[in-house]
Amino acid sequence: MPVLHPNQVAEYTSQGFTLARQLLPVEWTANCLQEVRSFFEDQASKLKRNLSGSLPIGALIHEVMKKGGEERNFVYRFVRHIRSLRVIETSPALFEALKDLGFRQPISLEFPSLRFDVQGEEQFLTKPHQDVRSIRTGRCVTIWFPLVPVDQTRGSIAVYPGSHRHGLIEHKIDEKHTIVGGDYFLKPIVLKLDKMNLGLINKLLFEKGFT
């Protein structure tokens, strides 16, 4: 049974992405955030960080991932393996959505990545790129979902609608993380999603981190 509306499939085809809301159970958000919190509390204890009371998860993450701290690389390598993320990765709803986009037998090729983008550290944001350059197949979809609500002011990603139609593009990026090139790079849009809603993104679409 289709889980995407025909308009979403058409948007994915023409724009290179579509947003899918309410495909995943709401409680999965709580499970994932709780596992992330437990991981960061454990790291804070090992690093002997003096934490008073129960910090909001954002403050806890900031405390562990201090700017310039060598533990950042460890956090990024380890946290992507938490169990609740793997449950999401193998969700039947995701597979049905991919079938709606024309993938007959969808499989997951990569471990999920979990990013924590911090305001004031824009130099560490993911620069404009096409995901096809860093994966092992030319036929795939990037599935992006936030654990907290995101918009123009809170840790989202920006996409360049329609840029996927031009194939693999040679490009340059200036010091402001702006692509220097054709007209399809002029107007990126920032995705606005509630927690655990999905962005389905064509592998050739240009995208970048945004905070």
Side-chain angles (χ1 to χ4, degrees), residues 32-33 42 73 89 107 117 120 122 141-142 159 162 166 171 175 182 189-190 193:
C32 196
L33 286 174
D42 181 63
N73 286 335
E89 185 183 30
I107 60 173
D117 290 330
E122 284 75 12
V141 177
T142 296
V159 298
H166 303 276
H171 61 283
E175 66 278 1
I189 64 170
V190 179
L193 282 173

Side-chain angles (χ1 to χ4, degrees), residues 67 72 115-128 152-156 173-178 208-211:
K67 188 174 182 179
R72 278 192 174 192
R115 286 193 59 85
F116 308 94
D117 290 330
V118 180
Q119 286 187 337
E121 296 189 14
E122 284 75 12
Q123 70 271 31
F124 298 120
L125 290 176
T126 304
K127 296 178 177 63
Q152 290 87 345
T153 63
R154 189 175 184 183
S156 185
I173 302 171
D174 65 18
E175 66 278 1
K176 295 182 180 180
H177 289 193
T178 301
K208 66 178 180 178
F210 188 92
T211 185

Side-chain angles (χ1 to χ4, degrees), residues 169-172 178-186:
I169 303 171
E170 293 297 326
H171 61 283
K172 295 181 179 180
T178 301
I179 304 176
V180 180
D183 294 342
Y184 35 82
F185 295 139
L186 295 180

